[in-house]
Amino acid sequence: MSFSMAGEEDFFLEEKKFKQYCEEFVKHSQKIRDGWEWRTSKDFADGYLSKTHFQITNRNVPPDLKEKNNDNVEQTLFMHVEESLDDSQVDGVCATAEVIRYEYHVLYSSSYQVPVLYFRACFLDGRALTLDEIWKSVHACYQARLLEGPWDTITQQEHPLLGQPFFVLHPCRTNEFMSAVLASSRKENRQTNYIASWLSIVGPVVGLNLSLSYAKLASEQSTDADVT
Amino acid sequence: MTDDKDVLRDVWFGRIPTCFTLYQDEITEREAEPYYLLLPRISYLTLVTDKVKKHFQKVMRQEEVSEIWFEYEGTPLKWHYPIGLLFDLHASNTALPWSITVHFKNFPEKDLLHCHSKDVIEAHFMACIKEADALKHKSQVINEMQKKDHKQLWMGLQNDKFEQFWAINRKLMEYPPEDSGFRFIPFRIYQATTERPFIQKLFRPVDSGGQLHTLGDLLKDMCPSAITPEDGEKKTQVMIHGIEPMLETPLQWLSEHMSYPDNFLHISIIPRPTD
């Protein structure tokens, strides 16, 4: 693994390495068909990872759903939505199901030398979600951490390649938590894909989950690749 | 050194005479007169237009007023860009005053960031300063500062207090005596004609031989097509704070003296007027 080391604790990601990890990541995504693709800017100078998915949200989620496995959440939510609609007709309580289109982009920040997660969300009629609605859609177990941890502050910013408003997970503390992750894998001489590790940590905060198969990604490569 | 300090003051106190006109389709109870204002080049539209908002809201009904936004000749103006940058990029070779149209409806969600309070402007401003210091000093100087110093930078900008601002900002302009300048120069190059909003990359103030990089070196590296004349005639102008600095100017000097308060050099490449 090559990183530019400013000190023992610094694990900055060079742009070339960013592109390589993204390439590996997309190859795996194509294998498991979970929708990630690589896009380039019009001048082909820069690129980014992109994925769009639809999510069904039900504000009145029954408590037992929170314990369910992530892989089944969407399907279970949908089923519960149908049930509760019937119940609500009886009880007179209103439960609404909404479909939201999420678009996630992973870009490289040359200033902080880390990847950055950009995203936007809109309802099917095209209405964009407000920052407030984005906050509310974050899973309950991350809310407290979101409120106190500056590294996962969500703000609205201009997408540096498209020039359009996106929400961003602030990148300035990425190095801190990635150091811990990478230091331990370094000790065990285990190769990792920086993007897969990073995204598995920051993604869930904003409703983006990675299949566990991404963990196998690097170990598949390390059997053939040179150990750096 | 007195001359260099004068540059800092000239940059800080630059103003653009502007005429604000209400969009014709806005519903008013009586006719809305245009509002004239001298806009500070170094500030942000939503930070300095409270009076403009109040003026037009006086002739409108409460229910017709939603989030304010500004437009110039059909282009929504990004409030998160400094005013001087917006003017240089879109209107620098047109007659003064700068004519801006004011809207209170149909906020262009796909083009503009929301700005519901001054806190949003402060957060954006401080994020830019932090990013600039990440480039200049690996964030060491900004992180060593206390919260009250960060506040002083924002208050200095908000209240147009040059001395208050520079008392803290001068620390962000220093570098170790053994170095020739910052680690990397915080800059962004804008061209209204591209989809990409700006070019920003890592660029050192000195070359491998220790020679100071110039503005021309930066442009040659980042957008050569914009400055090399195709047929001997220069088709573009390179503008910072309304002037065309000589391409031989050392980039380190420009970064120290002609950055905006957010510590970035915002450089516009615009078509050269043909007259």
Side-chain angles (χ1 to χ4, degrees):
Chain A
M1 253 182 336
S2 70
F3 294 97
S4 44
M5 296 276 283
E8 266 300 287
E9 272 71 44
D10 294 330
F11 286 87
F12 295 105
L13 182 65
E14 286 168 347
E15 186 157 14
K16 245 195 313 191
K17 264 294 175 181
F18 167 77
K19 290 183 173 159
Q20 281 172 16
Y21 285 132
C22 286
E23 205 181 302
E24 278 176 14
F25 188 91
V26 169
K27 278 205 193 107
H28 183 79
S29 176
Q30 285 163 348
K31 252 193 266 177
I32 65 170
R33 302 218 186 134
D34 74 343
W36 283 98
E37 54 179 33
W38 178 256
R39 289 199 193 155
T40 47
S41 53
K42 278 220 168 87
D43 51 17
F44 300 111
D46 292 297
Y48 56 96
L49 287 174
S50 169
K51 171 175 172 162
T52 301
H53 76 212
F54 294 85
Q55 213 156 287
I56 299 156
T57 62
N58 179 356
R59 301 270 165 82
N60 306 322
V61 176
D64 54 44
L65 256 184
K66 288 178 183 162
E67 263 76 72
K68 286 271 195 297
N69 184 312
N70 264 337
D71 292 333
N72 294 327
V73 154
E74 281 178 22
Q75 213 184 355
T76 326
L77 268 175
F78 190 68
M79 283 163 32
H80 274 261
V81 160
E82 288 182 342
E83 288 172 24
S84 57
L85 276 175
D86 292 333
D87 290 341
S88 70
Q89 273 156 8
V90 173
D91 296 336
V93 171
C94 189
T96 43
E98 292 157 324
V99 178
I100 299 175
R101 179 182 180 274
Y102 282 89
E103 196 180 337
Y104 298 97
H105 292 185
V106 176
L107 275 81
Y108 179 73
S109 163
S110 54
S111 304
Y112 292 105
Q113 295 187 274
V114 291
V116 185
L117 183 60
Y118 289 77
F119 64 100
R120 59 183 172 186
C122 59
F123 296 99
L124 288 182
D125 63 3
R127 178 171 82 79
L129 266 72
T130 63
L131 183 57
D132 224 50
E133 285 166 327
I134 292 285
W135 276 95
K136 293 212 176 88
S137 71
V138 167
H139 198 286
C141 75
Y142 291 105
Q143 287 280 354
R145 262 198 288 165
L146 257 166
L147 290 166
E148 48 175 271
W151 60 267
D152 37 18
T153 299
I154 300 174
T155 55
Q156 206 190 21
Q157 279 182 35
E158 178 182 45
H159 190 291
L161 297 179
L162 301 178
Q164 292 168 15
F166 270 72
F167 294 107
V168 188
L169 264 184
H170 204 270
C172 67
R173 294 282 184 103
T174 300
N175 182 45
E176 279 178 31
F177 62 80
M178 282 309 288
S179 300
V181 169
L182 296 167
S184 66
S185 58
R186 220 168 207 258
K187 266 199 216 121
E188 298 162 27
N189 248 335
R190 188 167 27 98
Q191 298 273 45
T192 58
N193 180 301
Y194 187 110
I195 296 300
S197 305
W198 166 80
L199 202 49
S200 68
I201 296 173
V202 300
V205 177
V206 294
L208 178 62
N209 296 302
L210 275 191
S211 155
L212 288 176
S213 68
Y214 278 98
K216 289 189 290 171
L217 178 64
S219 41
E220 276 168 9
Q221 323 291 338
S222 63
T223 48
D224 321 317
D226 298 332
V227 176
T228 343
Chain B
M1 281 313 274
T2 326
D3 288 336
D4 281 0
K5 284 240 169 76
D6 287 343
V7 173
L8 299 182
R9 284 191 168 270
D10 288 343
V11 165
W12 183 271
F13 291 106
R15 295 286 185 267
I16 297 169
T18 310
C19 171
F20 290 92
T21 309
L22 186 66
Y23 182 56
Q24 60 197 17
D25 288 358
E26 301 287 333
I27 296 165
T28 57
E29 295 186 325
R30 50 187 187 282
E31 180 153 0
E33 295 284 315
Y35 191 86
Y36 291 83
L37 194 58
L38 281 174
L39 295 179
R41 275 182 162 275
I42 50 134
S43 192
Y44 301 96
L45 276 172
T46 44
L47 189 57
V48 297
T49 50
D50 282 345
K51 289 198 177 134
V52 177
K53 193 160 63 160
K54 285 201 181 90
H55 169 82
F56 290 115
Q57 281 177 342
K58 262 192 269 179
V59 304
M60 295 173 73
R61 276 185 298 186
Q62 187 63 357
E63 57 266 30
E64 300 295 338
V65 174
S66 184
E67 185 175 355
I68 193 173
W69 59 279
F70 305 96
E71 161 247 309
Y72 174 71
E73 294 195 342
T75 305
L77 293 175
K78 298 181 180 180
W79 67 262
H80 70 285
Y81 285 7
I83 291 167
L85 167 63
L86 289 170
F87 180 78
D88 289 345
L89 197 56
H90 297 299
S92 66
N93 289 308
T94 62
L96 294 173
W98 187 18
S99 294
I100 293 182
T101 307
V102 181
H103 292 257
F104 288 98
K105 283 199 316 256
N106 299 319
F107 191 88
E109 300 275 350
K110 293 225 157 32
D111 300 299
L112 299 182
L113 303 181
H114 282 286
C115 189
H116 294 300
S117 73
K118 299 278 189 288
D119 291 343
V120 178
I121 313 173
E122 181 180 1
H124 165 69
F125 176 66
M126 292 312 300
C128 289
I129 289 188
K130 286 183 183 162
E131 185 178 349
D133 204 57
L135 288 165
K136 290 198 276 188
H137 306 114
K138 287 203 248 180
S139 304
Q140 279 161 10
V141 178
I142 196 72
N143 286 344
E144 266 165 23
M145 284 183 184
Q146 295 176 348
K147 260 208 154 82
K148 69 175 173 73
D149 292 336
H150 292 177
K151 255 307 178 186
Q152 190 166 329
L153 288 169
W154 166 246
M155 297 305 289
L157 176 74
Q158 190 180 26
N159 300 324
D160 193 22
K161 296 273 190 272
F162 176 84
E163 302 289 352
Q164 184 185 35
F165 177 80
W166 273 97
I168 307 296
N169 199 52
R170 63 175 184 80
K171 297 186 213 165
L172 294 169
M173 293 301 180
E174 290 168 351
Y175 50 88
E178 59 269 22
D179 296 340
S180 327
F182 304 135
R183 185 163 185 250
F184 296 108
I185 300 290
F187 72 89
R188 286 190 182 151
I189 301 172
Y190 303 80
Q191 267 179 289
T193 51
T194 56
E195 176 190 63
R196 179 197 287 257
F198 53 80
I199 297 169
Q200 180 184 343
K201 299 221 185 294
L202 297 180
F203 194 83
R204 294 194 188 275
V206 281
D207 63 21
S208 47
Q211 296 297 308
L212 285 172
H213 273 138
T214 64
L215 177 60
D217 293 333
L218 175 72
L219 295 167
K220 243 182 273 176
D221 206 304
M222 298 295 155
C223 43
S225 55
I227 57 158
T228 41
E230 283 172 355
D231 45 9
E233 262 189 58
K234 275 202 233 141
K235 300 240 168 73
T236 57
Q237 285 180 303
V238 177
M239 194 159 285
I240 311 178
H241 293 297
I243 62 159
E244 285 187 82
M246 288 167 57
L247 295 180
E248 294 81 11
T249 315
L251 203 56
Q252 176 66 29
W253 186 92
L254 280 173
S255 183
E256 289 176 46
H257 296 88
M258 290 189 71
S259 289
Y260 281 75
D262 64 4
N263 278 233
F264 269 85
L265 266 176
H266 296 288
I267 303 165
S268 301
I269 300 190
I270 54 175
R272 184 171 291 274
T274 49
D275 46 31

